[in-house]
Amino acid sequence: QVYLVESGGGLVQSGGSLRLACAAPRLITSTYTAMEMAWYRQAPGEQREMVAVITTDRRTNYAESVKGRFTISKDNSKKRVYLHMNNLKPEDTAVYFCNARHTLNGGVSWGQGTQVTVSG
């Protein structure tokens, strides 16, 4: 298990932007670099869905609904992963969760989530 802490959520209008951050303060850098990081989201009454993934060699993958609007990035020295969200839409409203998967042992960890609300 990895301790993950999300931040940066809030209330924005349609077309606005937010940057989410996920920190892993208890990990040493060498361990963090072995983690594949991702962002998921879950809206009320809906199933959790993958939003963006970034691998250890910085390859990325995005849900079709956010391609061209969201960008995932990471800073290994700071042990942080970010989700830059642009041109936000009301359908982006959800709790966003940080996810970490250890590429060597397969262990999976989750943060507590941060609320993003987009008004029309």
Side-chain angles (χ1 to χ4, degrees):
Q1 292 288 99
V2 177
Y3 176 57
L4 302 172
V5 183
E6 302 100 332
S7 62
L11 173 64
V12 298
Q13 296 189 64
S14 295
S17 300
L18 284 174
R19 187 184 75 162
L20 307 183
C22 173
R26 297 178 183 175
L27 289 181
I28 61 174
T29 301
S30 59
T31 301
Y32 183 82
T33 57
M35 308 296 293
E36 179 183 274
M37 306 301 297
W39 287 95
Y40 287 73
R41 67 186 181 187
Q42 186 169 16
E46 299 184 15
Q47 193 170 359
R48 181 186 64 190
E49 65 173 337
M50 189 274 290
V51 177
V53 178
I54 185 165
T55 66
T56 55
D57 59 351
R58 288 182 168 81
R59 290 177 294 170
T60 59
N61 191 31
Y62 298 92
E64 189 67 30
S65 60
V66 307
K67 284 183 178 179
R69 299 189 297 120
F70 291 9
T71 302
I72 187 171
S73 62
K74 64 177 179 178
D75 185 335
N76 287 338
S77 66
K78 296 182 178 179
K79 298 178 292 182
R80 292 181 182 180
V81 62
Y82 305 94
L83 185 67
H84 291 81
M85 304 184 294
N86 299 313
N87 191 25
L88 284 161
K89 304 175 180 180
E91 52 262 43
D92 295 318
T93 295
V95 177
Y96 285 71
F97 297 92
C98 182
N99 168 272
R101 184 181 69 84
H102 199 292
T103 56
L104 296 181
N105 61 32
V108 176
S109 300
W110 296 90
Q112 291 298 113
T114 185
Q115 176 72 46
V116 172
T117 302
V118 185
S119 64

